[in-house]
């Protein structure tokens, strides 16, 4: 050690002497040097020109893509502005004619009302031709199943024209139920985005009929499709309203039967006072269409069912009630809807009233139209009609007109009424148009005709009113017509504006997108050098664009119908495409044979196929829904391919290394994949882990740990990757080791504060919680400032990450094989003769290490900050995966690792095509894993408020983009790394080792300080850089970026096509349209980032390297370059290109003349920094003229100001420090100078405490900036290749920096120790990684276990995954007892339900979305004593629910339940009360069929529990005697087979187990005292040919059942205790009969109930009491008994 | 110390391929087809047994059925392939069987890790399904190679990394293994579709895919071996 140290010093001394000597020589050569510098300057300019033009050239694609997207969007996405105005009853839109006084709901708000009540029945998808008689037409000769099945509407309209009319009812597209309901209630044309309304909620906020009804105090009841509830939350009478799940299209009957069973009772005269408007929405017809299509007998049956229903409804309604029956849309020939074909649009409307209010306007219209093309009305016409008939104000946004038939009067001549309603409607429309025009300035021409019509009719009306003559019939008629004409024109205008897909525009957009896609593919496949050809490409592209826009504009001018702007854009984009393609074509660089167009490399195929498969898969909604999983599948597939590639390597070391990195890649993405945000459609098979729970939108507290883990792991992971190539030099230690580390910790701290604020953690402490918000806002701003200001400065001004060391190399061995002997280990020094030699560290990753700081660290800070903790984890894992991927690509690409030959390395397919494709999918993957989905509702709007207090433009949208597209941004910025990572910089001679290059002795003299210009005029000396290689770097990077863009462009183009093709699909607005938006936005964002950040950053990197090693352009070659020719010939193009490529590197770069004396270096730095600052403050230098353009290049927010000010301060201090003798000043100077910065940022918060905090914050901020800047100066002043470790050998640093940087002195003692560049494989990271992985794994298992008990608790309104299957015991051959373990909230204990009567819980089948009610069995507890029954019950209820489930072979639900494995989660909802047992029941006869024994057991249990309670009660208030009158219960249980009742025990089983049910009944029966129930069970079995007969029931009712027991039950089953029965029969006392109720309960399958008691007619609720007693019971005298059919 | 892996990888990759043809040995076409036939029959037997005796199938009881398949297939594959072990003089039949038995859990681990990387749920309720599936996959992919080749890296690399089978023995190991993996990969495709069928669950359709791929590849490999034998026969004439 010591000897090496001395030798070092000797060497340094020698170096110094020779330096002085050389300097003298240099003065002589000054003229020579000047010349060289001029040449260098020229080359710099040439390079920047190339770079700028390349940037502009790639930006052309951004133009092409955005114009394509714009064209498609303008045709596809139509927007409408929603006005919040509401019509008011007392404010008619125009003066009222006649004597009617406005303002009273009772008489009618604006117009006298006709009806008090209305029943609106919507038969979903009721097409008009379903309702009219079949007429033979061309296509259809014979009646189809859907014809003539619903004749009632037509017949009544013909037979009673004054009571009913039937008309075609045209829907407006899109014909989906949700949009139709909006139209039917608001009277407007719904568009995709109703701008102004809330994205997230579906609730209708604009004025509508339901809201008007509610305002008027009407009670609105809704039955059926639950879409209504999401549209009108809280508007309906919750007691009577029954909603059903609408999305189960396979179930034709549940919903319809449900509506019918509720609607009919409500129409009974007794119930009519409960409601004013009754809305029933039937879905059966629609479902039959979806499932079978209209041409199916199921449709006939369904329509016939509707026919019957309507007949019954008409029978029941009274004269004062209006009945409206309508379809909300039609269906196409396949039974689907959503689009705008005439079959989908043509619905039917039928109105009926017994009072004879309706009429026909003309003789022609006396019959309903034979087809929907004749006299149709629009659906929105319903809104004013219904509003005026019910006496309500017309909703403000309505565009419809009153229906003539409804207002013309039964005589058909009441034109006065018609004119008045038309006038009101038209006036309202006019009022709406006025308001709309105030907010959205429409083109005056569009509304010209309607306005003209309005003015004309207004004038006519005024003239008429001025005159004294009364109106004649004809005048009324003409006024009615004039108002209607105004409305019709107005509607037409609005439709053009809002509700029509513009197919031309869409097709144009698709065409542009596809041609540019093909062009991109051709460009990627073409063999051309982008650097050489970029000028030509740009020229032709620009000529095409400009020429095209001129041609297009002139076409648009000549044919105004085509639309000027769109035509111009379309023509420009197409011509631009053609121009670019002509360049490829003229160069003949495409493969000449068609066959060769297809790639030959396996890696290319591997990258093409998944992207294509995925893009095609977007045509299927389920593939789109499950996209997050599919992307993972592909990424892992890529990983497996890379693994196979690594296995192919023959070298075991690189194979191991490759496998290790592939494993890291795969593990990282797999762990990241556990972060999920489920979309609605995934709900059944997905659970959200991104937030605390599926219903929450905040992170769980434990997720904060992720932030800290990221802060712990990520910087060291990045560091280790730098260390592996010895690139942890220069700016890296400070930036990555301190600034980046600090930022990640601060981010974690920020989110902790955030969680504290959200979770109210400070509630119990003395700290003021209101301080949290300003603190965290400032913290976030500070983090941004570090990233943008300090990070940006670091990246722009950092030198290459190189280090220079001396190593002792034995002289003799040197000549033979320098590479092997250059180990630099201490052992080498023991050789006899050694010589110190320079070794340059970090050449193996020169470009990669420089550029990687930008995406992996600088960009990462803001990206991490705006993500939720879970998203941060995913993003960090993705960046780890990216680094590993880069390593694998480098290992698998032979060109980067080959060391022989001076030939410029060419990038491999892996680097150019495979890597960028994987990155594209990875970016997409990260999009999902940061809590996003292809749905608008998943946008995290709260990201705006991370660094801001209010919404501010343009920062808020930028923050949203950073949050949403964080993954894409990160990956797009990393694309150049595929090419750059581990691309070695090669010296012409000298040996390359693991990470450094040892220069051979004769080179040494050139690079040592003796020749300061040795680096600058590299090619003149003997170390010419590989210029071609560097040129090709730019070309390769451009190609990689194009491939990356190509992936997104493919996805975008295909999703666009699918959105256009499937614009009639049911799922358009849920699935395809959001996916298309995501594709378009993703393309644009990643394109901007990849081109401007990626390619722009690479320019900086190459410039930084060139500052040391010379510019990559030969002066001799300069004339050869078309760029310069172009610059000379075509200054216009250059100016354009420079304005397109926004980040053209500034001509002035801080000095990298590392070996200049420090004072000169400082001076030059200061000079150049000032220039840089002037640029940063808004000016920008264009490389040709040096003129400035204002305002295009600004630093973000306060960071710019801070940095700028800080830099100025530092510079002034540094300047003084140059002369200062005191080193102390230069150390503290910068910090002192920065102190004045603090007040600058103090915001105007009044609280002194806050101000103080802000001051502290800003001082910290300034301090950190100072640190950063000091490090910058250090990096700049310290010669880049004077490593901290080798300060002693670097005379410059030794003299000038010792005082300012004491840190380095202390480390310099380890210099010789650090001389040896050793390979460090993940030294600190492996254990850390291991610990993290283990803890994540353990955490996951824990979480997974816990989750089964997590989730919301069971409740009666929504299905929750609140139970797990504990066990399933087979009860009999066909039935089993399912035990569920549940978790109840304390509030929903079922104690009350158990004692009230019969109740059930709904179980949902997740796949089919079917729900069935099951009656839980009461808890079995035979030993319970009287007192604690209730307590025990509740204790048990918390844990378990038991169901008796019968497996029907075809039943979808029962097969699900019979297959579901123990441990899985079940969705439950409940409990629903089916039947409330009356108080004081004394006797029950329960006739049960099959599994309906469960309610019977419930009744028994309830009676028993209640007995105790009642007893208690009786004692308390002293009214009842607790004499212990036992309730008597007789159960007649009919089953198919014997084992159904007794379980599958063998006859003669000695344990005489009789099955759980019987045991339970017996247990209840055996309870002593008042809470015992005497239960007498009789069983009947089909297989024994025993059936329940009249006499059995009779006997049961008479209490005489004993005799029947013996013959039925075999001896081994005679379990009944005779004593009990005796007692029971004895206690049949008259007192008991007089008191209390006696019930006959019948429960079982429909057939069973019908057999026993006649058909079951379900009434309000589930049970029927005391009605129709047919069947078996008809013959029995049941006086004093109440019969209940359950 | 100084030799970085990346710098030397190319040098290594330039090394000549191991002399594979010399060390590999072929088996006759009849034998190869026999091996495939027996393996296929074993699979069929397992499925039949599951259906008729235990009255379970892949859809209703995936775990149980998969277990049945691998338990029945395990002795067949190991005993059958061990007969064709390499280096007969150094390796006894029993040793080959032992290698196969050892290869079973190792291969299962590899398959399970691959499946998990591709998105298999790792919840506790899928544990037994994943284990049984990967044991089955192990028998299709790794175990035959383990029995025949043991730990000879060159052979493994030739079959699984380079996919360059030399000789009929390589063929009957390589093709079915790749068939099973490719089949499983394609078998995963219907999983996200919204048909709501019970067989869309992990690992049912993946198992179907794997079995189908395995059977098809066995047919293909039989054809190849047969064609090869015929050609050689012709050449010899």
């Amino acid at each position: 050690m010591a000897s090496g140290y001395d030798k070092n010093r000797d060497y340094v001394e020698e170096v110094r002497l020779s330096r002085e000597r050389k300097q003298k020589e240099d003065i002589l050569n000054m003229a020579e040097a000047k010349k060289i510098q001029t040449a260098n300057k020229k080359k710099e300019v040439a390079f920047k020109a190339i770079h700028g033009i390349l940037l502009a050239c790639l930006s052309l694609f951004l133009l092409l893509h955005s114009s394509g997207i714009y064209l498609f969007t303008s045709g596809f996405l139509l927007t409408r502005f929603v006005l919040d105005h509401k019509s008011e009853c007392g404010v008619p839109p125009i003066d009222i004619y006649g004597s009617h006084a406005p303002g009273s709901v009772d008489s009618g708000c604006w117009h006298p009302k006709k009806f008090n009540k209305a029943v609106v029945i919507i038969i979903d998808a009721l097409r008009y031709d379903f309702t009219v008689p079949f007429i033979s037409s061309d296509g259809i000769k014979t009646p189809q199943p859907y014809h003539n099945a619903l004749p009632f509407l037509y017949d009544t309209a013909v037979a009673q024209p004054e009571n009913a009319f039937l008309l075609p009812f045209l829907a407006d597209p899109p014909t989906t139920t949700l949009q139709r309901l909006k139209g039917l209630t608001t009277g407007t044309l719904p568009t995709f985005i109703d701008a102004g309304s809330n994205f997230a909620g579906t609730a209708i906020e604009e004025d509508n009929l339901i809201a008007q009804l509610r305002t008027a105090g009407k009670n609105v009841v809704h039955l059926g499709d639950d879409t209504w509830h999401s549209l009108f939350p809280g508007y309906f009478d919750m007691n009577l309203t029954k909603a059903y799940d609408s999305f189960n299209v396979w179930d034709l009957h549940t919903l319809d039967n449900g509506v019918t069973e509720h609607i009919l009772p409500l129409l009974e005269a007794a119930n009519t006072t409960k409601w004013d408007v009754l809305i029933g929405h039937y879905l059966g017809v629609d479902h039959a269409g979806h499932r079978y299509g209209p041409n199916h007998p199921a449709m006939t049956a369904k329509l016939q069912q509707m026919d019957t229903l309507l007949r019954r409804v008409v029978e029941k309604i009274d004269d004062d009630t209006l009945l409206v029956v309508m379809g909300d849309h039609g269906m196409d020939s396949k039974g689907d809807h959503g689009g705008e074909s005439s079959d989908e649009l043509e619905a039917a409307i039928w109105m009926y009233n017994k009072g004879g209010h309706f009429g026909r306007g003309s003789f022609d219209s006396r019959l309903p139209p034979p087809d929907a093309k004749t006299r149709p009305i629009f659906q929105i016409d319903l809104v004013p009609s219904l509003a005026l008939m019910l006496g309500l104000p017309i909703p403000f946004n309505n565009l419809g007109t009153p229906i003539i038939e409804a207002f013309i009067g039964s005589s058909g001549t009441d034109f006065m009424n018609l004119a008045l309603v038309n006038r009101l409607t038209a006036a309202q429309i006019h009022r709406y148009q006025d308001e709309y025009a105030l907010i959205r300035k429409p083109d005056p021409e569009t509304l010209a005709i309607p306005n003209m019509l309005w003015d004309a009719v207004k004038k006519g009306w005024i003239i008429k009113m001025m005159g004294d003559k009364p109106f004649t019939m004809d005048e009324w008629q003409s006024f009615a017509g004039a108002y209607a004409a105004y409305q019709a024109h107005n509607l037409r205008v609005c439709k053009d504006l809002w509700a029509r897909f513009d197919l031309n525009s869409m097709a144009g957009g698709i065409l542009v997108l596809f041609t540019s896609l093909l062009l991109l593919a051709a460009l990627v496949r073409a063999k051309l050098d982008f650097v050489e050809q970029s000028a030509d490409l740009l020229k032709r592209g620009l000529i095409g664009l400009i020429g095209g826009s001129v041609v297009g504009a002139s076409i648009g001018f000549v044919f105004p119908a085509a639309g000027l702007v769109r035509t111009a854009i379309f023509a420009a984009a197409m011509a631009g495409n053609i121009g670019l393609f002509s360049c490829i074509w003229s160069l003949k660089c495409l493969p000449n044979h068609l066959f060769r167009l297809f790639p030959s490399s396996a890696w290319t195929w591997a990258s093409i196929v998944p992207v294509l498969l995925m893009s095609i898969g977007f045509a299927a909604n389920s593939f789109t829904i499950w996209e997050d999983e599919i992307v993972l599948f592909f990424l892992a597939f890529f990983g497996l391919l890379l693994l196979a590639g690594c296995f192919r390597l023959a070298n075991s070391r690189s194979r191991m290394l490759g496998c290790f990195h592939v494993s890291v890649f795969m593990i990282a993405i797999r762990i990241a994949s556990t972060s999920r945000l489920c979309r609605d459609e995934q709900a059944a098979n997905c659970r959200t882990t991104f937030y605390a729970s599926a219903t929450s939108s905040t992170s769980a507290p434990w997720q904060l740990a992720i932030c800290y883990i990221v802060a712990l792991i990520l910087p060291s992971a990045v560091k280790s990757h730098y260390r592996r190539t010895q690139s942890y030099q220069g700016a890296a230690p400070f930036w990555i080791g301190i600034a980046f580390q600090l930022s990640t910790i601060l981010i974690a701290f920020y989110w902790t504060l955030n969680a504290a604020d959200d979770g109210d953690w400070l509630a119990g402490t003395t700290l003021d919680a209101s301080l949290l918000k300003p603190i965290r806002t400032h913290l976030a701003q500070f983090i941004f400032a570090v990233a943008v200001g300090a990070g940006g400065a670091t990246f722009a001004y950092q030198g290459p990450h190189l280090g220079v060391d001396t190593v002792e190399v034995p002289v003799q061995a040197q000549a033979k094989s320098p590479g092997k002997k250059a180990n630099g280990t201490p052992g080498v020094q023991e050789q006899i003769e050694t010589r110190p030699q320079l070794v340059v560290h970090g050449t193996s990753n020169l470009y990669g290490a420089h550029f990687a700081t930008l995406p992996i660290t600088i960009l990462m800070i803001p990206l991490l900050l705006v993500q939720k903790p879970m998203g941060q984890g995913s993003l960090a894992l993705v960046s780890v995966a990216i680094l590993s991927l880069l390593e694998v690509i480098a290992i698998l690409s032979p060109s980067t690792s080959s060391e022989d030959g001076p030939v410029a390395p060419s990038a491999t397919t892996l680097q150019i095509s495979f890597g960028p494709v994987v990155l594209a999918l990875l970016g997409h993957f990260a999009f999902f894993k940061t809590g996003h989905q292809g749905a608008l509702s998943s946008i995290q709007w709260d990201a705006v408020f991370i660094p801001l207090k209010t919404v501010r433009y343009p920062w808020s949208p930028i923050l949203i983009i950073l949050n949403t597209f964080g993954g894409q941004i990160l990956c797009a910025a990393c694309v150049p790394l595929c090419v750059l990572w581990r691309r070695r910089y090669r010296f012409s001679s000298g040996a390359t080792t693991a990470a450094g290059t040892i220069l051979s002795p004769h080179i040494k003299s050139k690079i040592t300080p003796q020749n300061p210009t040795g680096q600058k005029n590299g090619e003149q000396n003997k170390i010419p850089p590989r210029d071609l290689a560097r040129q090709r770097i730019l070309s390769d990077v451009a190609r990689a970026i194009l491939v990356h863009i190509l992936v997104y462009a493919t996805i975008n183009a295909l999703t666009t096509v699918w959105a256009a093709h499937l614009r009639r699909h049911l799922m358009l607005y849920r699935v395809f349209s959001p996916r298309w938006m995501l594709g378009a936005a993703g393309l644009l964002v990643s394109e901007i980032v990849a081109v401007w950040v990626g390619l722009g950053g690479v320019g900086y990197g190459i410039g930084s390297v060139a500052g040391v090693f010379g510019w990559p352009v030969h002066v001799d070659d300069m004339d050869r370059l078309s760029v310069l020719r172009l610059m000379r010939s075509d200054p216009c193009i250059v100016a354009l290109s420079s304005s397109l490529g926004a980040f053209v590197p500034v001509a002035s770069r801080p000095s990298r003349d590392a070996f200049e004396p420090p004072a000169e270096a400082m001076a030059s730095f200061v000079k150049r920094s000032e220039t840089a600052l002037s640029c940063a403050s808004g000016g920008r230098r264009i490389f040709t003229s040096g003129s400035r353009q204002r305002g295009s290049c600004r630093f973000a927010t306060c960071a710019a100001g801070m940095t700028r000010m800080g830099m100025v301060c530092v510079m002034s201090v540094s300047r003084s420090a140059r002369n200062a003798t005191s080193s102390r000043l230069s150390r503290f100077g910068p910090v002192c100078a920065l102190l004045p910065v603090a007040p600058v940022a103090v915001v105007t918060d009044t609280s002194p405490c806050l101000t103080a905090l802000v001051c502290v914050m800003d001082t910290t901020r300034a301090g950190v900036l100072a640190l950063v800047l000091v490090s910058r100066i250090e990096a700049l002043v310290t010669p880049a290749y004077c490593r901290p470790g080798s300060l002693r050998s670097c005379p410059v640093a030794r003299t000038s920096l010792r005082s300012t940087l004491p840190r380095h002195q202390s480390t310099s003692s380890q210099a010789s120790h650090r001389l040896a560049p050793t390979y460090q494989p993940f030294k600190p990271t492996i254990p850390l990684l291991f610990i993290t992985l283990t803890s994540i794994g353990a955490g996951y298992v824990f979480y997974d276990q816990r989750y089964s008990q997590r989730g919301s608790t069971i409740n009666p309104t929504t299905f929750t995954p609140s139970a797990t299957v504990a066990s399933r015991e087979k009860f009999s051959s066909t039935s089993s007892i399912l035990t569920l373990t549940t978790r109840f909230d304390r509030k929903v204990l079922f104690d009350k339900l158990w004692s009230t009567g019969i109740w059930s819980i709904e179980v949902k089948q997740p796949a089919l979305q079917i729900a069935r009610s099951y009656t839980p069995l009461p808890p079995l507890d035979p030993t319970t004593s009287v007192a604690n029954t209730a307590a025990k019950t509740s204790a048990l209820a918390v844990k378990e629910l038991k169901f008796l489930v019968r497996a029907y072979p075809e039943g979808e639900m029962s097969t699900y339940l019979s297959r579901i494995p123990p441990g899985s989660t079940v969705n439950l909802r409940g409990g629903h009360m089916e039947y409330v047992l009356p108080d004081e029941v004394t006797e029950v006869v329960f006739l049960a069929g099959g599994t309906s024994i469960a309610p019977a057991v419930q009744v028994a249990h309830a009676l028993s529990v209640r007995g105790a309670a009642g007893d208690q009660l009786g004692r308390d208030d002293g009214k009842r005697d607790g004499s212990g009158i036992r309730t008597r219960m007789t159960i007649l249980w009919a089953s198919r087979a014997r084992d159904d009742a007794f379980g599958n025990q063998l006859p003669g089983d000695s344990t005489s187990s009789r099955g759980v049910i019987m045991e339970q009944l017996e247990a209840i029966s055996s309870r002593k005292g008042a809470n015992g129930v005497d239960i007498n069970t009789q069983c009947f079995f089909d297989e024994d040919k025993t059936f329940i007969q009249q006499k059995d029931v009779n006997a049961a009712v008479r209490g005489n059942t004993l005799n029947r027991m013996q013959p039925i039950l075999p001896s081994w089953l005679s379990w009944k205790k005779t004593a009990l029965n005796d007692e029971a029969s004895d206690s049949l006392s008259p007192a008991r009969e007089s008191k209390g109720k006696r019930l006959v309960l019948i429960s079982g399958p429909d057939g069973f109930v019908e057999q026993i008691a006649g058909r079951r007619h379900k009434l309000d609720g589930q049970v029927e009491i005391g009605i129709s007693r047919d069947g078996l019971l008809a013959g029995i005298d049941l006086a004093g008994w109440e019969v209940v059919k359950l | 110390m100084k030799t970085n892996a990346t710098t030397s990888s190319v040098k290594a990759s330039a090394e000549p391929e191991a002399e594979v043809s010399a060390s590999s040995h072929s088996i006759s076409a009849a034998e190869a087809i026999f091996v495939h036939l027996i393996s296929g029959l074993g699979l069929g037997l397992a499925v039949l047994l599951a259906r008729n005796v235990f009255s379970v199938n892949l859809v209703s009881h995936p775990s149980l059925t998969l277990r049945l398949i691998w338990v029945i297939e395990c002795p067949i594959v190991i005993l059958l392939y061990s007969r064709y072990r390499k280096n007969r003089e150094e390796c006894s039949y029993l040793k080959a069987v032992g290698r196969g038995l050892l290869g079973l859990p190792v291969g299962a681990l590899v398959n399970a890790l691959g499946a998990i990387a591709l998105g298999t749920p790792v919840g506790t309720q899928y544990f037994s399904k994943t284990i049984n599936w990967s044991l089955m996959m192990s028998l299709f992919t790794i175990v035959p190679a383990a029995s025949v080749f043991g730990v000879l890296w060159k052979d493994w690399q030739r079959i699984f990394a380079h996919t360059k089978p030399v000789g009929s023995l390589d063929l009957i190991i390589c093709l079915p293994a790749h068939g099973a993996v490719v089949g499983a990969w394609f078998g995963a495709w219907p999983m996200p579709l919204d048909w709501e069928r019970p067989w869309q669950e992990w690992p049912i359709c993946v198992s179907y895919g794997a079995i189908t791929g395995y059977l098809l590849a066995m047919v293909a490999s039989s054809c190849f071996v047969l064609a090869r034998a015929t050609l050689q026969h012709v050449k010899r004439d």
Side-chain angles (χ1 to χ4, degrees), chain A residues 356-384:
Chain A
H357 287 286
F358 302 141
R360 302 287 185 273
S362 64
F363 184 75
D364 297 339
S365 57
R366 115 200 93 93
L367 289 177
D371 58 53
K373 304 283 183 285
T374 322
R375 288 187 288 120
I377 62 166
F378 290 107
Q379 285 200 340
I380 50 175
D381 295 347
L382 178 75
V383 175

Side-chain angles (χ1 to χ4, degrees), chain A residues 1269-1327:
Chain A
L1269 288 163
V1270 166
S1271 89
R1272 297 287 10 85
I1273 295 171
E1274 165 201 324
L1276 295 164
V1277 176
T1278 316
Y1281 350 104
C1282 278
R1283 281 212 323 162
S1286 62
L1287 272 183
R1288 272 177 200 290
S1289 64
C1290 194
V1292 190
R1294 193 181 58 188
T1295 50
S1296 67
L1297 289 175
R1298 179 183 290 165
S1299 51
T1300 49
L1301 303 160
R1303 179 166 69 89
H1304 292 147
Q1305 272 196 328
S1306 63
T1307 54
S1308 66
S1309 63
Q1310 304 162 359
S1312 54
H1313 179 66
R1314 291 177 61 178
L1315 280 179
T1318 48
Y1319 173 65
Q1320 296 169 320
F1322 262 68
K1323 231 183 208 167
T1325 323
I1326 285 183

Side-chain angles (χ1 to χ4, degrees), chain A residues 334-497:
Chain A
K334 301 192 304 298
D336 297 326
H337 57 88
E340 47 183 326
S341 70
S342 57
D343 273 350
E344 291 163 87
L345 298 181
E346 289 163 356
I349 185 169
W350 176 79
M351 283 201 195
Y352 178 86
N353 174 259
K354 288 183 176 165
H357 287 286
F358 302 141
R360 302 287 185 273
S362 64
F363 184 75
D364 297 339
S365 57
R366 115 200 93 93
L367 289 177
D371 58 53
K373 304 283 183 285
T374 322
R375 288 187 288 120
I377 62 166
F378 290 107
Q379 285 200 340
I380 50 175
D381 295 347
L382 178 75
V383 175
S385 312
L386 216 53
L388 292 170
M389 281 193 278
L390 293 172
L392 299 169
I394 300 169
F396 197 86
N397 295 348
N398 165 59
L399 296 174
T401 183
I403 302 167
I404 297 171
E405 278 78 354
F407 292 96
I408 197 77
S410 53
S411 60
T413 52
D414 194 357
F415 286 107
M416 174 178 156
N417 191 32
L418 187 65
L420 289 179
V421 291
N422 277 0
R423 178 167 175 263
L424 277 172
T425 313
Q428 176 54 42
I429 291 170
H430 192 71
R431 182 158 75 172
Y432 167 73
Q433 285 299 358
D434 285 348
E435 292 290 338
Y436 193 82
L438 284 181
I439 291 166
R440 283 285 161 98
K441 303 275 177 294
D443 189 4
E445 283 184 24
T446 52
L447 282 173
I449 299 175
N451 283 339
M452 198 183 72
L453 287 171
W454 174 255
D455 292 340
V457 68
K458 196 173 156 191
K459 200 180 283 176
W461 180 269
I462 291 170
I463 291 169
K464 184 67 207 168
M465 292 299 282
M466 302 278 262
D468 293 338
K469 286 181 194 164
F471 286 84
T472 63
M473 182 76 83
D474 288 344
E475 276 169 346
W476 280 122
Q477 194 169 357
S478 72
F479 271 113
Y483 284 118
Y486 165 73
Q487 182 275 341
H489 274 97
N490 191 66
L491 183 65
R492 201 171 303 148
V493 170
C494 292
K495 269 190 180 168
D496 282 342
L497 285 178

Side-chain angles (χ1 to χ4, degrees), chain A residues 647-648 650-651 654 670 822-823 897, chain B residues 2 6 9 12 116 120 124 157 161:
Chain A
F647 276 126
R648 286 187 175 202
N651 181 314
S654 45
R670 190 62 179 88
N823 286 337
S897 49
Chain B
K2 285 220 167 180
T6 53
S9 64
I116 287 170
T120 293
T124 36
Q157 195 182 27

